[in-house]
Structure formats: C-alpha cells, structure tokens
Amino acid sequence: MESDDLAFDVFARACPSRGTLEHITGKWGGLTLGALKEGSFRFNELRRRVDGVSEKMLSQTLHALERDGLVHREAQPTNPPRVDYELTPLGHAVAERLLALICLVEERMPEVLTAQARYDEERGGR
C-alpha cells in the first residue's frame, strides 16, 4: 500500500502524524519554523533569532524538522564550514499556517491577559 493511499488521523494513537505535529507545534519547533519563514539562516543567526533556545535544543529541533521534510540544511565546503537552514516548500506551507496562528495569538493577547487575571482573581491567585 502506498503512503498516499493511507488515511492519517492525528487522533489515533499509532498515527505517525502525531510525531510531526509535535515537532511543528512544540515550543522550539514552532518558533524555528516561524523564524525560517523570514529566510535562510546560519545556525547561530537562527539561535539569536529564536531567543532563549539552547544550542542543543535548536540542533535537535532542526534535525527533527529536517527529517520531517520541513527544513533543508545546506553545508558549504568552506573553512570553517558554513551551514545554512531554510524552509522546504512543505515547510513554507506549514509555516504560513503557523504564523497565522501566531499572529492571532499576538493580536488577542489583551483578551488572554484579561482572562488570566480574572481566572487568578477568582481562584485566589496562581
């Protein structure tokens, strides 16, 4: 059976889409994809753009996203070696949708902060 013939259901325990969804929606995966939507980055440039990510976590995140076909890694044969990361066409499609969600959350943060304050007040603080 071809993979194109398979029906994927992220709500099913054994569905392989769960792992990819986790890579995309995890804290560092989402931020990395969002940053790469801006263009190609070298590792340290990307690390500065995704403020707070450790070198180890960024490396793991990039490996997972590359394996999922969302990120392309290009190593230049220079001394020292130069490695650039950019989105694949699939990565662009995912990042566009992710950035729409990010923009929505940023735009609606006043409502979120109001809801959080009301919740905390009703329950005696955090």
Side-chain angles (χ1 to χ4, degrees):
M1 182 183 229
E2 295 283 327
S3 64
D4 292 343
D5 297 335
L6 294 176
F8 295 99
D9 179 2
V10 76
F11 296 101
R13 181 183 332 180
C15 185
S17 64
R18 277 194 180 186
T20 300
L21 184 63
E22 186 178 330
H23 298 156
I24 293 167
T25 60
K27 179 179 181 178
W28 302 120
L31 294 173
T32 300
L33 288 169
L36 286 171
K37 184 74 172 90
E38 299 170 8
S40 177
F41 283 87
R42 293 176 76 174
F43 185 87
N44 285 324
E45 292 171 333
L46 189 55
R47 187 164 168 230
R48 283 190 295 275
R49 180 67 180 109
V50 182
D51 192 23
V53 67
S54 70
E55 188 172 320
K56 178 182 177 183
M57 281 308 305
L58 181 57
S59 179
Q60 290 175 352
T61 298
L62 286 166
H63 285 290
L65 295 174
E66 183 181 5
R67 182 171 184 264
D68 289 338
L70 303 171
V71 170
H72 174 72
R73 179 183 183 274
E74 174 104 18
Q76 305 291 331
T78 59
N79 192 9
R82 178 187 170 112
V83 180
D84 293 293
Y85 296 90
E86 62 186 0
L87 294 176
T88 63
L90 176 60
H92 274 284
V94 169
E96 281 179 25
R97 287 158 178 83
L98 185 60
L99 284 172
L101 177 60
I102 289 170
C103 288
L104 174 65
V105 170
E106 288 176 341
E107 289 169 4
R108 305 298 288 266
M109 276 311 294
E111 294 170 65
V112 171
L113 294 173
T114 299
Q116 289 174 346
R118 183 174 46 249
Y119 179 94
D120 292 346
E121 184 178 309
E122 289 171 0
R123 285 160 180 81
R126 291 184 139 220

